[in-house]
Amino acid sequence: MLTKEKQKLRLQALEWALCALGVLAVSLSLALARVETCDYVSVNGDFQSYNVFRRILAGQTPYVDFANYVGMAPVVLNLPLVALNNSFANSLFVTNFTAALLFSVTVLLVFWLVARSRPAALLAAVFFVKFCSSGLLGTLLGARLGGYLTGLFESLYTPSNSMRIARLFLPFLLAGAALVWLKARRCGLEGDALQQALARRAPCLVWGLAAGLGVSWSNDFGLACLFCLTVLFVLVQALRLWEGWRALAARLGIYLAGALGGAAVSACLASGGHPLAYLRFTRDVGGWQYFYFNGTGGRAMLLYLLETPRLWAFALPAAAFLAWCLTRLWQKRLTDRQLVLGFLAFAILAATGAYTVSGSGYNFKEALEGYTWLALFALAARGLVRLTRRAARLRDGALRLAAAGLALALAVLAVRDAAGWKNAEHKGEYIPALGGWCEYT
């Protein structure tokens, strides 16, 4: 006879399994649609991504034998699947599949943290990418707003020019790890267990290792996460766990040792044991990638800040939220949920700021704009959750049923797409060297 607790755990496991099924189905369908043709377009980043994979599979070492300015995120997330079939077409399939998958995971985390409803988060994770990619978002919100949001989110759930969703996934990966830790410790998100843990040496070391290990993930979000985790660590120690300068120095020393050790390990792993090559490459990348960093030859683009009001429309709310979190921390009222959300906003804002003042501002919109809108949607969902709190069981049951039904329907459609793809009519001619069809022959 199963206890109520075991029944609840089994139901939750089934919910997660159905959510994963739906997300995988959407990602598969989008990936299959992308490889209807594998036409090479030199400026869209498709071959740029594959070039890294093919060189590694040929035995070359990143940062030593070839340029890898994007960072190791695309390699870690895509190379194992690309290695199963080393071709340009398979690279397109894999990168589009993982991009949609990663974005769905970020949707899940944002809705879970902001809307404070796991059923709503699971439904959003299954539904959102399909909602955008099918054109329903544009139809519902009209040509102007709907078209703008459709294009904005498309730049996140597709690889775009340089696997941006993979690069910016690092803060979400760290946030997810924090949530898993809290779940394993059976600590709620509304407490301060994550912050209080930093009074002990081992968590300080782990926090530092996490910050350092992410350095080679990407040149933008790897460094942004290191900076933000360091600032947050000091703030938590000074405003929440203050026990004098000696205690602060001891904990900070342990954190820095972990961060330096993690960064060294990260650089060695990324470069095949040549950390100096990694450091030289990272230092010089802005000199030849005009849109990455240092795009103006070292002149900070302060005028860009003044001439781009749309940037302020998204940066100021993020900064205001961080100021609110800082006030809550000073009052010793900051919850772990707010700490994790603050870290996500801080990391995205820091990476955006680095681009804007030291580069061309070329990539500011995808993360900052997209996740601001996503947070607004999650806040709207939070409002609906609060309005229906008296019928919470009925509401959550309806959300679970909708998520399950949608996941199963999407899985059926994905199986149909996969089964018929090989024998379907494809554009152009099959090119063995590409591993797929090409219209330009």
Side-chain angles (χ1 to χ4, degrees), residues 71-141:
M72 295 301 291
V75 175
V76 172
L77 296 169
N78 295 294
L79 186 62
L81 291 175
V82 175
L84 298 176
N85 177 14
N86 184 10
S87 69
F88 179 60
N90 188 49
S91 173
L92 289 182
F93 174 84
V94 170
T95 52
N96 279 267
F97 176 81
T98 58
L101 180 63
L102 293 175
F103 184 64
S104 293
V105 173
T106 64
V107 171
L108 171 70
L109 289 171
V110 170
F111 269 77
W112 196 352
L113 289 166
V114 176
R116 303 185 186 186
S117 168
R118 183 168 55 85
L122 293 173
L123 177 60
V126 175
F127 175 69
F128 196 79
V129 171
K130 187 64 176 178
F131 182 59
C132 296
S133 61
S134 66
L136 289 174
L137 178 64
T139 301
L140 181 64
L141 298 181

Side-chain angles (χ1 to χ4, degrees), residues 118-314:
R118 183 168 55 85
L122 293 173
L123 177 60
V126 175
F127 175 69
F128 196 79
V129 171
K130 187 64 176 178
F131 182 59
C132 296
S133 61
S134 66
L136 289 174
L137 178 64
T139 301
L140 181 64
L141 298 181
R144 188 170 182 178
L145 179 59
Y148 156 68
L149 290 176
T150 298
L152 178 61
F153 288 121
E154 184 178 5
S155 67
L156 290 171
Y157 67 75
T158 61
S160 194
N161 284 26
S162 51
M163 286 297 293
R164 291 169 194 159
I165 183 61
R167 285 155 38 201
L168 67 86
F169 187 68
L170 179 60
F172 292 94
L173 179 63
L174 294 172
L179 297 182
V180 170
W181 183 86
L182 289 170
K183 180 68 174 178
R185 296 291 299 271
R186 296 186 177 181
C187 302
L189 288 173
E190 308 309 328
D192 62 350
L194 184 61
Q195 298 164 73
Q196 293 296 336
L198 294 179
R200 304 192 302 274
R201 293 182 179 180
C204 292
L205 181 64
V206 172
W207 188 291
L209 283 170
L213 285 171
V215 165
S216 67
W217 183 269
S218 69
N219 288 348
D220 40 19
F221 280 88
L223 296 175
C225 286
L226 175 62
F227 170 74
C228 294
L229 286 173
T230 303
V231 171
L232 290 175
F233 181 86
V234 173
L235 288 174
V236 170
Q237 295 294 336
L239 299 179
R240 188 110 197 198
L241 304 174
W242 180 254
E243 295 179 5
W245 289 104
R246 181 175 296 180
L248 174 62
R251 294 169 187 168
L252 184 59
I254 293 171
Y255 165 81
L256 291 176
L260 290 173
V265 171
S266 180
C268 285
L269 291 174
S271 61
H274 297 82
L276 293 181
Y278 170 79
L279 291 175
R280 285 193 298 268
F281 181 88
T282 304
R283 180 197 63 191
D284 297 337
V285 67
W288 54 275
Q289 283 290 345
Y290 78 95
F291 60 84
Y292 206 78
F293 284 114
N294 201 29
T296 56
R299 299 188 302 275
M301 292 195 66
L302 297 179
L303 289 178
Y304 185 85
L305 292 172
L306 301 176
E307 295 172 355
T308 313
R310 195 174 72 179
L311 174 62
W312 292 102
F314 296 95

Side-chain angles (χ1 to χ4, degrees), residues 27-83:
S27 303
L28 176 63
S29 294
L30 288 175
L32 288 173
R34 177 60 187 87
V35 290
E36 180 180 353
T37 62
C38 59
D39 297 332
Y40 169 70
V41 181
S42 61
V43 295
N44 68 359
D46 289 330
F47 186 78
Q48 175 179 278
S49 297
Y50 179 54
N51 187 48
V52 176
F53 305 145
R54 73 180 183 90
R55 286 180 177 274
I56 293 177
L57 292 174
Q60 297 184 30
T61 302
Y63 306 103
V64 177
D65 299 319
F66 66 93
N68 184 34
Y69 84 92
V70 173
M72 295 301 291
V75 175
V76 172
L77 296 169
N78 295 294
L79 186 62
L81 291 175
V82 175

